[in-house]
Amino acid sequence: MKKIVWWSIPFVLLTACSNNVAQEIYPENDVPEIVQVLNENKSINGYKSITDKNDVIVAIDIRRMSRFSKDKIEKKIKKQLEEKFPEKEVLVTGDLKIRWEVEKIIKENMQTDKLKKSIDQIKSLSKEAT
């Protein structure tokens, strides 16, 4: 019994540490500006982003030890993106539920009206206090 426990501990630790988030932007019209800002920041693992003509929403995955300064990281990235996109409303968050919604939009390849409704839903989710 002890041997099973000792062999399963490293397996559990290795599988728990391999949760990487891909870097995706949907649709791919403002990719260079967003990628430049997000790749400069070393305190994030990955990101998912959606854009339309009025909004830029970026869900970031913050590194473990950087989570203590999550608000600072979000504000810094938001400020940089607002400088790149002054005509758009920018939302940057490390919230998991918003990242799930962004992943759902990317997976379904939503277009125009459905995309706008989903973006409005994400904005309302971001205002909720959890």
Side-chain angles (χ1 to χ4, degrees):
M1 181 68 180
K2 288 183 180 181
K3 288 183 180 182
I4 294 173
V5 172
W6 283 107
W7 283 103
S8 63
I9 289 175
F11 178 73
V12 170
L13 291 175
L14 289 175
T15 56
C17 295
S18 65
N19 190 12
N20 291 336
V21 175
Q23 301 172 352
E24 292 184 65
I25 300 174
Y26 176 81
E28 297 182 4
N29 49 357
D30 294 322
V31 172
E33 294 89 359
I34 296 173
V35 169
Q36 178 187 6
V37 169
L38 294 174
N39 286 341
E40 288 175 359
N41 197 322
K42 300 299 180 198
S43 56
I44 61 174
N45 282 331
Y47 54 87
K48 304 273 184 170
S49 175
I50 54 176
T51 60
D52 72 345
K53 61 183 176 184
N54 298 325
D55 302 298
V56 175
I57 299 177
V58 180
I60 56 176
D61 181 34
I62 301 173
R63 293 188 187 275
R64 298 275 183 235
M65 295 306 290
S66 299
R67 290 181 195 243
F68 298 112
S69 57
K70 177 182 170 186
D71 292 333
K72 282 186 190 178
I73 294 167
E74 289 174 355
K75 287 179 185 177
K76 178 182 167 188
I77 293 173
K78 181 176 181 176
K79 183 178 177 184
Q80 291 173 343
L81 288 173
E82 285 175 340
E83 290 172 0
K84 298 277 185 183
F85 304 103
E87 71 281 354
K88 294 186 179 187
E89 185 178 340
V90 177
L91 173 66
V92 177
T93 184
D95 194 2
L96 187 59
K97 65 183 175 183
I98 294 181
R99 189 169 72 214
W100 288 337
E101 290 296 321
V102 170
E103 288 173 356
K104 186 171 101 176
I105 291 171
I106 292 172
K107 184 178 178 182
E108 294 177 6
N109 289 330
M110 291 187 183
Q111 301 296 324
T112 57
D113 293 334
K114 287 179 77 175
L115 180 63
K116 183 64 179 162
K117 287 179 185 177
S118 296
I119 288 175
D120 291 339
Q121 179 185 10
I122 289 172
K123 286 181 186 177
S124 67
L125 281 175
S126 70
K127 293 176 184 172
E128 287 181 5
T130 56

